[in-house]
Amino acid sequence: MGGLKFFDHHKRAEKYFNMSKIELRLIKQPVDHFNETETRTWMMSYAQNMEFYQPNGPIYLLIGGEMPLYNQMDSLFDGLVNNLAKETNGALIMSEHRYYGKSLPFPELVTDNMKYLSSQQALADLATLLKYLKSTFLSEKSASPKVVVVGGSYAGNLAAWMKLVYSDLVDAGISVSGPVLATKNFFQYMEIVFKDFLQHGSPECYDKIKEILKNYETLLSTPEGIEELKRQEKICDYSDMTKKENKQQFILHKLYILAKIAQYSENIDEFKEECERMLNTSRIEFLFNEKNQPQDCYDINFYKSLKNWEPYMISWMYQTCTEFGFFQTLDYNNQPFTHNLPLEYYIEICTTLFGFDFDEKRVDKGVKATNALYGGRQPNITKVVFVNGDVDPWHSLSVLKDLSDEAPAILIPNSSHCKVLHRDTEQDSNEMREARKKVKSLIKSWIGL
């Protein structure tokens, strides 16, 4: 079932990593783990680094999240889990999530083909992989290997949920920056972004953000204002900024620049640097990554941009529309940042990409089912450590207090999304060093080392 090698479809990874340490492999998976009458199969990608492995060593399964495998391979070469494997003679395995990268049950991401994309199916894929790995690592001279599952962000959810659902296969887990509480209207995300700029930027910067967003709102409210906005922001003349979905997309692009600093900052000085730019220019600079953008202007077009989405973005949107929500809105009261990114913007994406059935009621149903299935922020779980950074906007949906002695939570001050998994540096805070030390100590004790 597993063990079929392949060498042709992750060539891009060779540009970034020393692939001589890595073996890229495939394993056959059912399209539907929960329907015996569905007999179709597909090939799931995974990678392994056996550099440190010795018989009786543990398996560290680094769970792939909502992007291609080659975008997530850092931990196979460096960082917290790599160090754990080195210290415990462990094997490093990284999986690719179904419907991301090359792990495609179907070649086309059309709505009917995507009905098998869910966290439950993904967990079952991981169970199939672990059963195969445990059987291949087992010999007459070795005991059944211990398994530690590790994930960051959505994959942090999967790490916790693997220990919850497949406790017979998993001995311990590390859940990093995992938003385990599904939430339709995730207004707390931007709320924390703004607070980060207040705390780590300055009160003047916080006020400047309010001023800029209010100015955008004023300009977007009249034909004359729209013309002035186009001039200031170099928006293409043919972009129709009278359409509400284009107005909302413009605001989203601006907010994303602030959110990216909060979510991915390597150090909190980045807040001050962005604040200096805003205070000097009185605007939030554009940061486009979209394909097919004109060279001399920015085309703000909601429907055109959806057509240019990368496949992994479509897959993740499907999961948010059907399971998680996580829609980062400005829909909350008592805030001075305008209400120009509403929930309806995201619902429009769901219905545009997947059909009219993917409406707000469908999101509500999925969110409710997800929290009922996994337990939200109170999963019935042991031997999992939850790690978050307090700068990361996602931490508000994670486990922030100890569930028990065997399900502790660590909140790292001034730390961002998944940063604890990164390599050690001289700039690391004492709190970061202590967090990594504690995680390693917990895992070693839980697997009997």
Side-chain angles (χ1 to χ4, degrees):
M1 177 172 60
L4 178 64
K5 299 179 184 180
F6 67 102
F7 300 97
D8 59 341
H9 79 262
H10 280 308
K11 292 184 182 294
R12 183 173 172 182
E14 296 174 358
K15 297 180 182 179
Y16 305 102
F17 304 111
N18 177 9
M19 297 300 289
S20 64
K21 298 180 180 180
I22 302 300
E23 188 173 8
L24 301 171
R25 301 171 73 88
L26 297 170
I27 183 169
K28 185 185 292 185
Q29 295 281 7
V31 165
D32 188 349
H33 288 273
F34 309 109
N35 181 1
E36 294 181 357
T37 63
E38 172 56 78
T39 59
R40 290 175 295 180
T41 60
W42 59 285
M43 303 306 292
M44 172 185 174
S45 307
Y46 70 98
Q48 61 185 38
N49 181 349
M50 305 296 287
E51 179 183 9
F52 309 118
Y53 179 72
Q54 294 183 19
N56 293 317
I59 297 171
Y60 293 94
L61 176 57
L62 295 147
I63 299 173
E66 67 280 19
M67 60 183 66
L69 177 61
Y70 58 74
N71 283 353
Q72 306 176 78
M73 295 178 71
D74 305 59
S75 294
L76 287 174
F77 299 90
D78 209 344
L80 173 65
V81 187
N82 188 275
N83 292 337
L84 258 174
K86 187 184 302 184
E87 294 169 16
T88 59
N89 303 319
L92 287 163
I93 311 293
M94 174 162 276
S95 62
E96 186 170 65
H97 196 295
R98 59 167 56 203
Y99 289 85
Y100 294 92
K102 298 295 182 179
S103 295
L104 299 175
F106 305 97
E108 294 183 353
L109 293 178
V110 296
T111 301
D112 191 55
N113 287 348
M114 298 183 75
K115 60 188 175 184
Y116 304 103
L117 172 54
S118 71
S119 58
Q120 285 181 274
Q121 296 284 0
L123 293 175
D125 291 337
L126 296 172
T128 298
L129 175 61
L130 281 176
K131 289 174 185 176
Y132 169 74
L133 291 172
K134 288 171 80 98
S135 69
T136 59
F137 282 54
L138 186 64
S139 70
E140 293 181 359
K141 297 181 180 180
S142 65
S144 179
K146 299 290 186 179
V147 171
V148 180
V149 291
V150 185
S153 196
Y154 161 54
N157 293 2
L158 295 177
W161 296 340
M162 274 301 292
K163 186 66 174 69
L164 178 71
V165 180
Y166 295 99
S167 58
D168 57 323
L169 296 174
V170 176
D171 296 284
I174 307 172
S175 175
V176 178
S177 301
V180 292
L181 180 67
T183 302
K184 178 177 65 174
N185 180 15
F186 185 21
F187 66 84
Q188 296 92 341
Y189 184 94
M190 287 310 306
E191 187 177 40
I192 291 172
V193 171
F194 296 140
K195 287 180 180 178
D196 285 343
F197 274 90
L198 175 62
Q199 181 178 354
H200 303 296
S202 67
E204 294 79 14
C205 181
Y206 182 83
D207 290 339
K208 177 58 69 172
I209 294 171
K210 291 189 292 184
E211 177 187 316
I212 291 172
L213 291 176
K214 185 63 178 178
N215 184 53
Y216 289 151
E217 180 178 62
T218 300
L219 291 173
L220 286 167
S221 66
T222 66
E224 297 80 13
I226 287 173
E227 289 306 309
E228 176 61 20
L229 182 71
K230 285 185 174 182
R231 186 191 66 78
Q232 291 180 7
E233 299 288 342
K234 296 183 180 180
I235 298 172
C236 299
D237 289 339
Y238 49 82
S239 296
D240 188 352
M241 297 304 294
T242 65
K243 293 184 176 180
K244 67 177 181 179
E245 61 269 19
N246 290 348
K247 294 178 182 182
Q248 293 160 0
Q249 185 181 38
F250 169 79
I251 297 298
L252 176 63
H253 280 305
K254 294 297 187 177
L255 294 176
Y256 175 75
I257 295 161
L258 305 179
K260 187 175 181 181
I261 295 169
Q263 185 165 327
Y264 296 114
S265 60
E266 285 299 317
N267 63 75
I268 58 174
D269 291 339
E270 292 180 35
F271 289 98
K272 294 186 182 298
E273 293 168 5
E274 181 61 27
C275 285
E276 288 179 8
R277 281 193 287 270
M278 284 190 290
L279 290 169
N280 289 329
T281 65
S282 294
R283 56 191 291 267
I284 302 170
E285 296 289 344
F286 261 127
L287 186 63
F288 267 97
N289 292 315
E290 290 187 11
K291 297 185 295 184
N292 304 321
Q293 271 292 328
Q295 295 298 309
D296 56 349
C297 63
Y298 297 111
D299 184 14
I300 309 296
N301 187 309
F302 174 82
Y303 295 104
K304 187 189 295 185
S305 70
L306 294 184
K307 293 180 181 179
N308 291 329
W309 274 18
E310 296 285 352
Y312 75 89
M313 297 168 65
I314 296 172
S315 296
W316 178 239
M317 198 70 207
Y318 183 88
Q319 289 195 264
T320 61
C321 295
T322 57
E323 293 188 84
F324 308 127
F326 296 154
F327 299 138
Q328 298 155 22
T329 77
L330 291 177
D331 275 353
Y332 62 105
N333 296 324
N334 301 319
Q335 57 95 350
F337 298 99
T338 78
H339 294 271
N340 291 305
L341 188 59
L343 179 63
E344 66 181 272
Y345 173 82
Y346 295 96
I347 302 301
E348 182 70 16
I349 295 177
C350 293
T351 56
T352 300
L353 287 177
F354 309 118
F356 291 113
D357 291 343
F358 291 77
D359 56 9
E360 187 172 352
K361 289 183 179 179
R362 178 122 181 205
V363 177
D364 286 329
K365 181 180 178 181
V367 166
K368 183 178 180 180
T370 297
N371 290 330
L373 180 62
Y374 301 121
R377 279 191 291 235
Q378 296 289 325
N380 184 16
I381 204 169
T382 59
K383 295 185 179 178
V384 174
V385 56
F386 296 88
V387 189
N388 286 275
D390 70 354
V391 172
D392 176 19
W394 289 98
H395 83 267
S396 64
L397 300 183
S398 190
V399 176
L400 303 179
K401 296 181 180 179
D402 294 354
L403 300 177
S404 68
D405 290 342
E406 290 204 319
I410 302 172
L411 185 62
I412 307 171
N414 301 333
S415 179
S416 56
H417 198 60
C418 299
K419 191 177 178 183
V420 73
L421 292 174
H422 298 180
R423 68 175 64 182
D424 299 341
T425 70
E426 293 181 358
Q427 290 72 42
D428 288 336
S429 66
N430 289 333
E431 292 90 346
M432 177 64 72
R433 297 176 196 275
E434 286 301 311
R436 289 180 177 140
K437 182 179 177 181
K438 182 175 181 180
V439 169
K440 290 198 290 184
S441 176
L442 287 167
I443 294 302
K444 290 175 183 178
S445 68
W446 288 340
I447 61 175
L449 295 178

